[in-house]
Amino acid sequence: KTGIPEDRIRQRRAGNSGYVNGDGVRLRMQPSTSATVLGTMYKGELVWIDWSQSNSSWYKVTRQKTNQSGWVAKSYITKL
């Protein structure tokens, strides 16, 4: 056992990361432009993508530098 929750392990596997491709990108509580803003991200910031919760327009992500999770519109994330 690693002590790391299973969902975090899945996020860190190959193909589950990306980076923010714009400045001032909002991390939201829910997959909606009217949802509460949890934080602001900037170009080049790395994120983990949770494919099990993402949908056709939004990615559920975790910020690599802060470990904060939320939703980002897919157009603002470039997959690695």
Side-chain angles (χ1 to χ4, degrees):
K1 281 261 180 190
T2 64
I4 300 170
E6 181 62 30
D7 64 327
R8 297 285 186 234
I9 292 170
R10 281 196 308 271
Q11 289 173 356
R12 283 155 177 77
R13 291 188 181 132
N16 291 340
S17 59
Y19 64 90
V20 177
N21 60 31
D23 283 326
V25 175
R26 294 175 179 94
L27 181 71
R28 296 187 179 271
M29 187 176 288
Q30 298 293 325
S32 168
T33 56
S34 61
T36 301
V37 175
L38 300 173
T40 304
M41 300 185 297
Y42 295 92
K43 193 171 188 173
E45 183 172 339
L46 296 172
V47 297
W48 302 113
I49 302 168
D50 182 347
W51 297 107
S52 68
Q53 295 188 57
S54 297
N55 62 41
S56 61
S57 301
W58 294 81
Y59 286 137
K60 176 73 181 273
V61 302
T62 300
R63 299 172 77 175
Q64 291 188 23
K65 71 178 186 178
T66 66
N67 213 33
Q68 181 181 35
S69 294
W71 294 86
V72 178
K74 282 187 172 181
S75 60
Y76 295 112
I77 302 294
T78 300
K79 294 182 286 184
L80 293 176

